[in-house]
Amino acid sequence: NNTHDSRLIIKTAANGYQPANISALPTFDIILGSNSLKISEVSHSYKDNSNDEFIEIYNALDAKINLYGMQLRFSTTGVDPGADGSGGSPLVRFLYATHVPIKGHGFYLAASTEYSGSVSADSTWLSSYLLAATGDNIWIRDDDGNRIIDKFSS
């Protein structure tokens, strides 16, 4: 379904907050649905280089999504990502900047450090992590670390 749970916290004097404690910006927690981010393309061993690999993520929403706190993870044959996505190994942890945006209906490109494509990668992973042609699982884990947003199996 396309529903989104959200919580809006508004600090007002009527709710017992003193003016010194009121922030200028409200806090929003939005839980992304399974149709929000998609692993749209995976390439391994490109141009005869086994380390020339990339994963493209697509934002299917109209609004910009900040990937901060999420993880792009992978596992080899026979390793289950687990219901909460904690299995396998992290390829990319979106923790290095507080703002990692994908614009609405836009793309984000993650690639190995040996990626040689014509489009610049938005982030990279070490070439010691190799994607297999078959048997791998790749998934996007939410920033709370308790569920999988999208999964791709080769």
Side-chain angles (χ1 to χ4, degrees):
N1 68 42
N2 288 328
T3 62
H4 302 281
D5 297 329
S6 61
R7 176 179 54 163
L8 172 62
I9 300 170
I10 301 176
K11 297 179 178 180
T12 66
N15 288 332
Y17 290 93
Q18 299 301 318
N21 295 331
I22 298 173
S23 65
L25 299 173
T27 301
F28 291 92
D29 288 339
I30 298 174
I31 298 171
L32 297 173
S34 60
N35 293 325
S36 55
L37 291 174
K38 295 291 182 188
I39 297 171
S40 55
E41 187 174 356
V42 175
S43 178
H44 62 89
S45 304
Y46 186 67
K47 294 184 180 176
D48 300 322
N49 178 350
S50 62
N51 294 333
D52 193 355
E53 304 175 318
F54 71 85
I55 300 169
E56 181 184 78
I57 301 171
Y58 173 67
N59 174 2
L61 300 179
D62 293 331
K64 178 172 49 176
I65 294 176
N66 186 0
L67 296 177
Y68 178 75
M70 295 184 196
Q71 293 182 24
L72 183 59
R73 297 179 70 89
F74 88 110
S75 67
T76 55
T77 304
V79 177
D80 187 342
D84 65 355
S86 63
S89 302
L91 279 174
V92 178
R93 295 180 187 190
F94 302 105
L95 297 173
Y96 306 111
T98 57
H99 190 67
V100 187
I102 301 181
K103 66 181 180 177
H105 300 285
F107 296 90
Y108 187 93
L109 187 64
S112 78
T113 53
E114 295 189 34
Y115 166 73
S116 64
S118 60
V119 176
S120 296
D122 297 299
S123 62
T124 58
W125 68 79
L126 296 176
S127 58
S128 58
Y129 291 114
L130 292 176
L131 304 178
T134 59
D136 274 359
N137 293 302
I138 301 166
W139 63 95
I140 303 168
R141 187 176 183 201
D142 73 358
D143 59 341
D144 290 331
N146 60 12
R147 74 188 173 88
I148 296 172
I149 295 174
D150 192 32
K151 179 181 168 187
F152 173 87
S153 297
S154 59

